[in-house]
C-alpha cells in the first residue's frame, strides 16, 4: 500500500484537466447548477484552477446531486443522481487514481465498467461455458435494488484496505454521502447506496462485490458477473444447490437483499442475462425485450418528429453495437419491420419529395432490409400516399413466395395414383403413370413417396426396383382408405434393439414411455384446441365459455397421469387409457363445437363410421399409420413390440403408439380446417367420394411437408416422424437419457 493513491495526487492540475477533457468529449449532462458542458467550456481554465485551489485549501464542497427519475419496466422508476460539471471532474480524477489500484485485485469474472471487458464479452463467456463446460444447472438469483442499498460503512471499510490516505478517503465518503435535490429543491439524504449516475459509483460497486467474485473463483464455479447481474452455472444439481445456499449467506453478510423466487433450475428452462435469453446453448431475445426495443424505437422516432435523425441514429447504432453482434439477423427482423410499419402509418408529408427528404437518413439493422433500402423507401412513401395503409415488407413478400415454393416442393415429392386401370412404370426419366398408353403423370427427381388409392393399378418390377434403389416407399390403400400393404427398401433387423424393446417392460422404460406418449397426445390435443381458441374467442361465445373449463380439465388429467405409479405395466396401461379416454371426450366435444355449424358430428367413431367427419379422420389416420410404419422400420425397430398399446399378433402396435401424438397436427387440424372453410366435401353410400378423398390427401400431404422448428432446426413434419422413431430407439438402447415426444407448436 506504499504506492496507493493519495490526496496530494489530486492537486496536480494536469490530472484535473485530463478529467475535464474526457467529460467534454462525452458531452456529459450537467447538474443542479444548470451549467452545461458548453457553458463550462467557456470558463474551463478559471473553474479548474478554482477547483484546484479549493482542494489545496481543504475547503472543497460538492453541490448536491440533481435528482432525476427515469421510467423502468412495469411502471417502476430508476432514480439517478446527476453531478454538476465541476464535481464530475473531481470524481473522474479520483477514479483515475483509484482504478489502477483496484484493477490489481479485480478478477476476470467481473465484466462491467472495465476496460477490455463489457457486456458482449460477458455474454460470449456464458455461451462458451454452456458449450464447453457442459453445465446443466443454473442458480437463479437477483439482487434487490443493489446500487441504492450498498451500506456506506462496509463499502468504505473495503476501500480503506486499498487506500492509506485519510483525506482521500474522506473525499470519497463526501462524494457518496452528498444528498440529492429535485426540481423543487427538496432535499433527500443519501444514507446508503451509491448514486446511479455518479462517476465513482460503478468502480465502487465492483469493489463491493469483489468478495463474491473471490468466493466463486475459489470454488471453481462457472460464474460471470456484470455489475449486479450475474450467472452461476454448475454441472450437478447438488453443487448448484450448495452454491445457492452459500451465495445467499454471502449476500446476507454484505447486508444486501435478494428478490423472491431464487432457485436452482435446469438450463433448458431458459434464463435471461443482459437482455439475452439463453435456452441450452441457443440465444435469442425474450418477448419482453422485443417489446421494449419496439417501444424505444417509437420513442426515438417520435422525438425527432418521424424524421430519422439524432435520436433514431443513436438508437439504431446502439442495436448494431450490441444485439446485432450477438444474434442472427433473422432474430432482429422485427425491428426493421416495426420501423417500416411506423413510418408507413405515421409519416405525414405533403409531397413525395418532402417524404424522400425526411427519409434521407433512414437506416436498417438487417442485411435483408439494407439490400432493399431504396425499394422499401418507395413502399413507405406509397403507403403514406395510401392513407397510412401498411404495404407488405420485403421480408413478408419473400416469406410468402418461399411458402409457395415449399408447397410445390412437397407436391413434387409425392405421387398420388387414384385412377382405376393405371400402370406405374419406369422410363429414362424415372417413374411414370400411364393408362391405355396415355401419360397421366411423370414423377420428378425429388420423388420421395408413391400412394396408390385405387383398385386395378399395376406396377412393373423395374418401377419397384427403381423405388427400392432410391428409397421411395409405396403405400397401397383400398377405396375405403384402409392401408393394406407397403413396399419400401429392405432394412436389416437390429436384434439387439429388438431385445431392448422386449426388456423395456422389466426395466421400467416401457412404463415411462407409455406415460410420456399419452401425456404428449393430450398435450397436443390441448394445444390444437388453444390454436383454434385463438381465432374463435371473439366470434364463438359458446366455444369461448367452454374453453376455460376444458383447459383446466386437461391440466387435471395431465397431473393425474404424471402421478401414476409405474408398477405393473398391465395395470398402468388400464389407468392411462382410462385417463386418456376422459381427455379424448373433452377434446372431441370441443372439436364438435368448432365444426357443428357446418356438419353433424356427434363424436369420435372408428370402424364402420359413415359420417363425413369420422370418415375423413379414419382415412387420414390410415395415411399417417403408413408413414409412421416406414419410419419405424427405417429406425430398425420391431413394429409389433409396443409400450402403450398391448401387443397383438400381427398388429403394428408400436406404430399405433407413435402416431398418437402426431394425429392432431397431421390429420385433425386438416379436417377441421377443411370443414370450417366450407370446402365441397361429401360422403356417398358411407364412403368419401373421389373428390373429397383427393382433396383430403392433398391437404394432409401439404401439412406433412410443412416446415416447423424441431430441436432448434427447421424440419418437415414428415421428417420428424423418422427422427422421433430414432430417438425412441436411442432411449431404449441407452444411447439417449430420455425420450421427448413431439410437442406441437400452436
Amino acid at each position: 500500500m506504499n504506492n496507493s493513491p493519495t490526496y496530494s495526487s489530486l492537486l496536480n492540475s494536469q490530472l484535473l484537466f485530463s478529467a475535464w477533457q474526457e467529460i467534454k468529449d462525452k458531452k456529459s449532462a450537467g447538474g443542479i447548477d444548470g451549467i452545461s458542458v458548453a457553458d463550462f467550456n467557456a470558463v474551463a481554465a478559471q473553474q479548474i484552477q478554482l477547483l484546484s485551489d479549493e482542494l489545496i485549501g481543504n475547503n472543497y464542497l460538492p453541490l448536491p446531486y440533481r435528482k432525476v427519475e427515469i421510467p423502468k419496466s412495469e411502471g417502476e422508476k430508476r432514480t439517478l443522481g446527476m453531478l454538476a460539471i465541476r464535481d464530475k471532474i473531481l470524481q473522474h480524477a479520483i477514479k483515475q487514481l483509484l482504478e489502477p489500484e483496484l484493477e490489481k485485485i479485480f478478477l476476470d469474472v467481473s465484466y462491467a465498467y472495465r476496460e477490455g471487458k463489457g457486456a458482449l464479452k460477458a455474454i460470449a463467456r456464458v455461451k462458451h461455458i454452456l458449450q464447453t463446460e457442459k453445465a446443466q444447472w443454473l442458480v437463479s438469483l437477483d439482487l434487490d435494488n443493489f446500487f441504492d442499498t450498498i451500506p456506506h460503512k462496509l463499502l468504505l471499510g473495503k476501500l480503506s484496505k486499498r487506500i492509506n490516505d485519510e483525506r482521500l478517503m474522506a473525499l470519497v465518503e463526501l462524494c457518496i454521502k452528498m444528498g440529492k435535490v429535485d426540481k423543487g429543491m427538496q432535499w433527500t439524504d443519501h444514507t446508503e447506496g451509491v448514486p446511479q449516475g455518479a462517476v465513482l459509483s460503478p468502480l465502487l460497486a465492483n469493489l463491493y462485490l469483489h468478495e463474491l467474485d473471490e468466493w466463486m473463483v475459489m470454488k471453481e464455479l462457472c460464474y460471470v458477473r456484470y455489475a449486479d447481474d450475474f450467472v452461476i452455472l454448475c454441472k450437478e444439481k447438488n453443487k448448484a444447490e450448495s452454491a445457492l445456499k452459500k451465495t445467499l449467506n454471502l449476500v446476507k453478510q454484505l447486508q444486501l437483499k435478494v428478490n423472491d423466487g431464487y432457485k436452482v433450475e435446469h438450463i433448458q428452462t431458459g434464463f435471461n442475462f443482459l437482455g439475452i435469453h439463453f435456452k441450452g446453448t441457443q440465444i435469442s431475445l425474450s418477448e419482453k425485450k422485443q417489446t421494449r426495443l419496439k417501444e424505444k424505437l417509437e420513442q426515438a422516432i417520435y422525438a425527432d418528429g418521424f424524421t430519422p435523425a439524432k435520436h433514431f441514429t443513436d438508437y439504431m447504432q446502439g442495436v448494431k453495437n450490441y444485439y446485432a453482434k450477438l444474434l442472427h439477423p433473422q432474430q432482429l427482423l422485427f425491428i426493421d419491420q416495426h420501423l417500416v410499419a411506423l413510418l408507413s402509418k405515421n409519416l405525414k408529408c405533403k409531397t413525395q419529395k418532402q417524404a424522400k427528404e425526411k427519409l434521407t437518413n433512414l437506416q436498417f439493422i438487417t442485411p435483408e432490409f439494407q439490400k432493399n433500402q431504396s425499394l422499401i423507401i418507395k413502399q413507405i412513401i406509397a403507403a403514406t400516399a395510401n392513407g397510412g395503409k401498411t404495404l407488405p415488407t420485403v421480408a413478408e413478400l419473400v416469406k410468402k413466395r418461399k411458402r409457395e415454393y415449399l408447397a410445390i416442393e412437397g407436391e413434387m415429392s409425392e405421387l398420388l395414383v387414384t385412377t382405376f386401370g393405371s400402370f406405374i412404370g419406369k422410363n429414362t426419366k424415372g417413374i411414370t403413370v400411364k393408362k391405355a398408353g396415355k401419360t397421366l403423370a411423370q414423377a420428378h427427381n425429388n420423388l420421395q413417396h408413391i400412394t396408390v388409392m385405387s383398385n386395378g393399378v399395376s406396377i412393373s418390377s423395374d418401377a419397384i426396383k427403381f423405388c427400392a434403389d432410391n428409397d421411395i416407399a409405396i403405400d397401397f390403400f383400398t377405396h375405403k382408405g384402409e392401408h393394406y400393404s407397403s413396399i419400401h427398401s429392405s432394412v436389416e433387423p437390429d436384434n439387439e434393439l429388438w431385445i431392448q424393446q422386449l426388456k423395456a417392460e422389466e426395466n421400467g422404460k416401457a412404463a415411462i414411455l407409455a406415460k410420456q406418449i399419452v401425456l404428449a397426445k393430450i398435450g397436443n390435443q390441448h394445444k390444437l384446441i388453444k390454436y383454434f381458441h385463438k381465432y374463435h374467442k371473439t366470434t364463438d361465445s359458446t366455444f369461448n365459455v367452454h374453453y376455460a373449463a376444458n383447459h383446466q380439465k386437461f391440466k387435471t388429467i395431465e397431473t393425474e397421469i404424471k402421478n401414476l405409479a409405474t408398477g405393473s405395466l398391465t395395470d398402468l396401461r388400464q389407468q392411462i387409457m382410462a385417463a386418456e379416454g376422459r381427455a379424448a371426450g373433452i377434446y372431441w366435444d370441443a372439436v364438435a363445437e368448432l365444426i357443428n355449424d357446418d356438419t353433424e358430428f356427434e363424436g369420435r367413431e372408428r370402424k364402420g363410421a359413415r359420417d363425413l367427419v369420422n370418415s375423413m379422420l379414419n382415412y387420414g389416420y390410415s395415411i399417417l399409420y403408413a408413414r409412421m410404419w416406414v419410419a419405424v422400420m427405417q429406425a430398425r425397430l420391431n413394429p409389433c413390440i409396443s409400450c402403450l398399446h398391448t401387443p397383438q399378433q400381427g398388429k403394428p402396435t408400436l406404430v399405433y403408439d407413435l402416431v398418437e401424438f402426431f394425429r392432431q397436427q397431421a390429420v385433425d387440424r386438416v379436417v377441421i380446417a377443411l370443414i370450417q372453410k366450407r370446402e365441397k366435401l361429401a360422403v356417398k353410400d358411407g364412403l368419401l367420394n373421389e373428390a373429397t378423398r383427393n382433396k383430403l390427401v392433398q391437404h394432409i400431404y401439404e401439412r406433412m411437408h410443412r416446415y416447423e422448428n424441431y430441436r432448434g432446426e427447421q424440419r418437415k413434419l414428415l421428417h420428424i416422424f423418422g427422427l422421433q422413431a430414432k430417438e425412441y430407439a436411442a432411449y431404449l438402447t441407452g444411447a439417449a437419457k430420455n425420450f421427448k415426444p413431439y410437442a406441437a407448436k400452436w
Side-chain angles (χ1 to χ4, degrees), residues 349-404:
C349 300
K350 294 181 179 179
T351 64
Q352 288 197 2
K353 182 180 178 181
Q354 189 182 48
K356 286 179 181 179
E357 288 173 354
K358 277 204 167 191
L359 298 175
T360 300
N361 297 320
L362 186 64
Q363 55 180 297
F364 294 110
I365 299 293
T366 60
E368 187 172 332
F369 275 71
Q370 291 167 356
K371 184 173 62 177
N372 297 284
Q373 180 157 334
S374 59
L375 175 61
I376 294 168
I377 288 175
K378 289 179 181 177
Q379 284 187 320
I380 294 170
I381 294 170
T384 302
N386 199 31
K389 183 180 179 182
T390 305
L391 299 179
T393 67
V394 171
E396 290 167 340
L397 292 171
V398 170
K399 189 175 181 180
K400 179 182 178 182
R401 188 65 76 197
K402 180 180 178 180
R403 281 199 302 266
E404 292 174 4

Side-chain angles (χ1 to χ4, degrees), residues 616-654:
M616 291 176 72
L617 290 169
N618 292 340
Y619 206 96
Y621 292 155
S622 289
I623 297 169
L624 180 58
Y625 290 141
R627 290 307 181 89
M628 184 56 75
W629 197 326
V630 173
V632 165
M633 295 301 294
Q634 289 178 340
R636 303 173 75 186
L637 287 158
N638 187 319
C640 299
I641 305 175
S642 51
C643 294
L644 176 62
H645 291 85
T646 303
Q648 302 175 53
Q649 185 66 35
K651 296 284 187 180
T653 48
L654 176 57

Side-chain angles (χ1 to χ4, degrees), residues 31-33 62-70 77-84 87 91 145 147-150 152 174-198 201:
I32 195 65
D33 58 359
L63 291 170
Y65 293 91
R66 177 167 62 93
K67 185 178 179 180
V68 177
E69 291 185 334
I70 59 173
K77 292 183 178 181
R78 176 182 286 114
T79 301
L80 300 182
M82 307 303 292
L83 283 163
D87 299 326
Q91 284 204 22
N145 203 18
F147 280 88
D148 293 334
T149 58
I150 295 174
H152 289 169
L174 180 61
C175 289
I176 65 173
K177 287 190 172 180
M178 183 52 64
K180 299 186 185 81
V181 294
D182 59 17
K183 289 181 180 179
M185 295 299 153
Q186 185 173 359
W187 179 278
T188 302
D189 282 324
H190 205 238
T191 57
E192 63 178 358
V194 291
Q196 297 187 61
S201 294

